[in-house]
Amino acid sequence: MSSKKVAIITAGGSGMGAAAARRLAADGFNVAILSSSGKGEALAKELGGIGVTGSNQSNDDVKKLVDAVVAKWGRVDVLVNSAGHGPRAPILEISDADWMKGIDVYFLSAVRPTRLVTPIMQKQKDGVIINISTAWAFEPSAMFPTSAVARAGLAAFTKVFADTYAPDNIRMNNVLPGWIDSLPATDERRASVPMKRYGTAEEIAGTISFLASPAAAYMTGQNIKVDGGITRSV
């Protein structure tokens, strides 16, 4: 077993997932990246890690990555669940199939890797899982209905998971980004943020780095907003 800690990042080929992978590698982790585009494999090679081209919507693809990590390093210390983009439409125009697609993209994409790494973390008596969610999970926007609904469910899942596995010293928290520079920028969206700017993927990665560190060892089941003040709920 490697003495160096290991982080798995799903949907890590670009945007916030890629920024998280770079930051955790800089923090001293071995990194493993799953990405459907092939960019994750290239980034993993750059960072000296393991890359698999596949989807977090496929149990087989996720298992392929986890199995490769265990075979090479024998441990999983951190899992970062990132996600792609689900269907968008006016709320009553979303079909049953698209609602299910949204749940797959935004919710089950976090559940699948969690199922696989939790037994490993239980044996270690240590582990951290971080889900990249959305600032609109609790103040839903009509712009992102499937994301808001599925990620409200992810928040509930996170609390139940955190309560269940805290005795095993496994923590799970959600990061809730607002408008981030990996999304298209508009003046209207920028003006809606009290800080009057988009956040950066690197700022989200910094929050992930903190949650993965011993400094956050007493934090679990939480939803951490990183949104420039755009949301108001407590």
Side-chain angles (χ1 to χ4, degrees):
M1 179 185 289
S2 171
S3 60
K4 190 175 179 180
K5 288 194 170 185
V6 176
I8 292 175
I9 302 94
T10 67
S14 59
M16 292 178 282
R22 290 183 183 278
R23 176 60 184 264
L24 292 171
D27 289 345
F29 286 84
N30 286 320
V31 296
I33 303 171
L34 179 71
S35 167
S36 60
S37 67
K39 293 179 182 178
E41 251 191 280
L43 178 57
K45 184 176 181 180
E46 175 190 328
L47 298 174
I50 296 171
V52 167
T53 296
S55 171
N56 57 8
Q57 295 170 49
S58 163
N59 282 303
D60 289 344
D61 290 349
V62 176
K63 188 175 186 300
K64 181 179 178 181
L65 180 64
V66 174
D67 287 350
V69 167
V70 172
K72 183 169 184 177
W73 294 313
R75 62 190 298 162
V76 179
D77 300 280
V78 172
L79 167 65
V80 178
N81 287 313
S82 186
H85 300 285
R88 292 172 56 186
I91 191 164
L92 294 184
E93 295 177 18
I94 300 170
S95 67
D96 289 3
D98 278 348
W99 278 116
M100 295 306 297
K101 178 69 173 176
I103 291 169
D104 208 10
V105 169
Y106 296 119
F107 176 69
L108 291 175
S109 63
V111 175
R112 292 186 187 97
T114 297
R115 283 197 196 108
L116 293 173
V117 305
T118 297
I120 300 165
M121 293 177 172
Q122 282 181 295
K123 290 178 183 177
Q124 298 167 177
K125 285 293 181 182
D126 186 60
V128 180
I129 301 173
I130 302 158
N131 304 313
I132 301 178
S133 180
T134 176
W136 292 277
F138 301 105
E139 296 183 33
S141 166
M143 286 185 288
F144 309 110
T146 62
S147 170
V149 169
R151 282 162 160 168
L154 180 60
F157 174 87
T158 294
K159 183 56 179 166
V160 174
F161 180 94
D163 290 349
T164 303
Y165 291 99
D168 293 312
N169 198 35
I170 302 172
R171 300 185 290 110
M172 178 182 280
N173 293 290
N174 296 329
V175 176
L176 278 56
W179 296 119
I180 302 300
D181 62 2
S182 55
L183 298 169
T186 70
D187 290 340
E188 181 182 5
R189 291 175 181 177
R190 189 180 295 108
S192 71
V193 181
M195 294 185 76
K196 303 303 178 188
R197 68 174 179 87
Y198 274 50
T200 67
E202 289 71 26
E203 287 169 326
I204 301 304
T207 305
I208 290 168
S209 171
F210 166 69
L211 290 171
S213 77
Y218 202 49
M219 295 177 66
T220 193
Q222 303 304 307
N223 295 279
I224 313 301
K225 298 176 185 177
V226 190
D227 64 4
I230 194 170
T231 55
R232 295 286 185 267
S233 64
V234 295

